[in-house]
Amino acid sequence: MNHNMTSNLSTSELEDLYGNRVRSRMLKIVDLIAFNRKSCDKR
C-alpha cells in the first residue's frame, strides 16, 4: 500500500508538532522527498 503526504514542514518541525514517535512512524510509511528551501520550483 502506498501512502502520500505533503507538507511544508521539515522532519524536525514535524517532530516538534507531533512528537518523535509519530514522526518516526510517518517516515517508516512514506518515501521522503526533500527540496532545497531556496528552490523556486518544486514540481
Side-chain angles (χ1 to χ4, degrees):
M1 178 183 283
N2 294 329
H3 299 282
N4 296 311
M5 181 179 116
T6 61
S7 177
N8 292 331
L9 301 175
S10 67
T11 54
S12 61
E13 291 168 326
L14 286 170
E15 184 174 346
D16 290 343
L17 282 173
Y18 300 108
N20 181 53
R21 187 175 181 185
V22 172
R23 180 201 58 89
S24 175
R25 289 200 167 100
M26 281 183 190
L27 292 177
K28 291 207 184 276
I29 65 170
V30 300
D31 293 323
L32 178 64
I33 301 171
F35 294 94
N36 184 324
R37 288 188 180 263
K38 295 180 183 179
S39 180
C40 295
D41 188 359
K42 296 177 175 79
R43 288 182 274 168

